[in-house]
Amino acid sequence: LADVEALNEAAFAGETDVTKLSYHAYAYCTANYVLLDAGSALGRNESRNRIVVIEVRVGSPALDNTNFQAAGFGSGPIGANLPMDDDYDAIRRQLWLTTDRAYKQSVELLSKKKAVLQNKTRTEVLPDFSAQPPSTLTDLNPGAPIDLAQAETLARELSAVFRESPGVATSSVRIGATEETTRYVNSEGSSFVRSSFLVTLRASAATQADDGFPLDDHTFTVARSWATLPPKADLLASVRDLGRRVTAQRTASLLEQYNGPVLFEGQAA
């Protein structure tokens, strides 16, 4: 659906069993819907995509379009989605169009860079690029597919912990698994193929302080496989602690204005 208003209209018409809708619309739909309690599942999603990222260098190794940021002008590699089916002509066309965009951006950026450098006095001139002998690398670390039913059960159990913290207004638990394969090739003969697998778990909680100030916090866990996730007891304890922290923040006093260093600990570090 296009936007929240479309969801609201579908909810008013009773077209969906479960829906997301605005708080304003919910007041008019209480006869047909109830707010999902902690521990309720909002669904699962599986997707695949294929992306190309192209970087074009123009100029010379001593001076090219990189290492320069023009105000209001894109300077990074150009990315685009590729067809998921192995249609040679369609993929080739998208690669050509993306390369053409990257080349034109690089030419314009190099012109801007030269104009800026003409008005600058440089005490040291370093080359933008150094030629290296071609190399090839293969680093494959595929992962085993996760059991979606098992992941959903864990998400429900972790989410249900927020029931112990009535001070939490909204909460969510998301579990994801991503397998990524990167294939790199350049015009100098170097290439590599690298694959990786990650399992992520994110628990979020939000509430509102007594003075109306919005509060939120989250925990984030990353593992190389489902088997290497922390024990369920540790995950439950982490979510339980999150609910307690957010609840305690509702009545916490405000800090006085402070300017100075900040030390990061735990996950923040």
Side-chain angles (χ1 to χ4, degrees):
L1 295 177
D3 50 33
V4 173
E5 184 56 33
L7 289 170
N8 290 342
E9 292 175 358
F12 285 136
E15 298 174 356
T16 55
D17 296 327
V18 179
T19 184
K20 292 184 180 181
L21 67 164
S22 66
Y23 283 107
H24 173 76
Y26 175 71
Y28 300 94
C29 295
T30 53
N32 299 324
Y33 297 95
V34 296
L35 290 175
L36 289 175
D37 196 5
S40 301
L42 290 177
R44 62 176 68 166
N45 178 57
E46 297 179 65
S47 63
R48 297 174 65 241
N49 55 35
R50 179 182 282 172
I51 300 171
V52 62
V53 178
I54 295 179
E55 180 183 30
V56 175
R57 288 174 177 257
V58 297
S60 67
L63 178 65
D64 64 22
N65 54 288
T66 63
N67 301 316
F68 176 72
Q69 178 66 55
F73 187 79
S75 61
I78 299 293
N81 292 318
L82 293 179
M84 287 305 303
D85 54 342
D86 295 332
D87 186 324
Y88 174 81
D89 292 333
I91 293 176
R92 179 178 177 176
R93 180 176 184 275
Q94 188 61 59
L95 289 174
W96 187 92
L97 291 173
T98 307
T99 303
D100 183 63
R101 287 172 52 207
Y103 171 75
K104 291 176 179 177
Q105 173 182 280
S106 297
V107 170
E108 186 172 354
L109 191 63
L110 178 59
S111 176
K112 293 178 180 291
K113 180 178 179 178
K114 288 180 176 179
V116 170
L117 292 178
Q118 285 179 353
N119 300 318
K120 281 192 173 183
T121 301
R122 295 185 291 171
T123 58
E124 184 179 12
V125 179
L126 299 175
D128 287 324
F129 186 75
S130 62
Q132 300 294 328
S135 62
T136 301
L137 173 68
T138 301
D139 182 18
L140 302 179
N141 297 285
I146 68 172
D147 185 325
L148 294 180
Q150 186 180 13
E152 183 175 317
T153 298
L154 178 60
R156 286 176 179 271
E157 293 179 359
L158 295 177
S159 179
V161 172
F162 286 115
R163 295 175 184 172
E164 303 173 11
S165 302
V168 173
T170 61
S171 62
S172 67
V173 174
R174 297 175 180 269
I175 297 176
T178 303
E179 184 167 17
E180 180 178 291
T181 300
T182 302
R183 303 178 186 275
Y184 172 88
V185 61
N186 67 20
S187 58
E188 296 189 318
S190 292
S191 64
F192 71 76
V193 179
R194 181 175 60 212
S195 67
S196 61
F197 186 84
L198 287 179
V199 177
T200 58
L201 190 155
R202 179 187 176 97
S204 304
T207 188
Q208 194 173 48
D210 294 339
D211 60 0
F213 191 84
L215 303 167
D216 64 86
D217 200 355
H218 71 272
T219 62
F220 192 69
T221 302
V222 179
R224 291 292 183 181
S225 66
W226 182 264
T228 57
L229 277 173
K232 185 168 70 173
D234 293 350
L235 295 174
L236 290 169
S238 175
V239 174
R240 185 171 289 110
D241 181 64
L242 171 63
R244 291 170 178 168
R245 291 202 312 269
V246 171
T247 299
Q249 290 174 10
R250 296 184 62 190
T251 56
S253 58
L254 293 176
L255 293 176
E256 298 181 1
Q257 184 174 356
Y258 170 77
N259 292 313
V262 176
L263 299 179
F264 292 94
E265 298 179 341
Q267 285 190 334

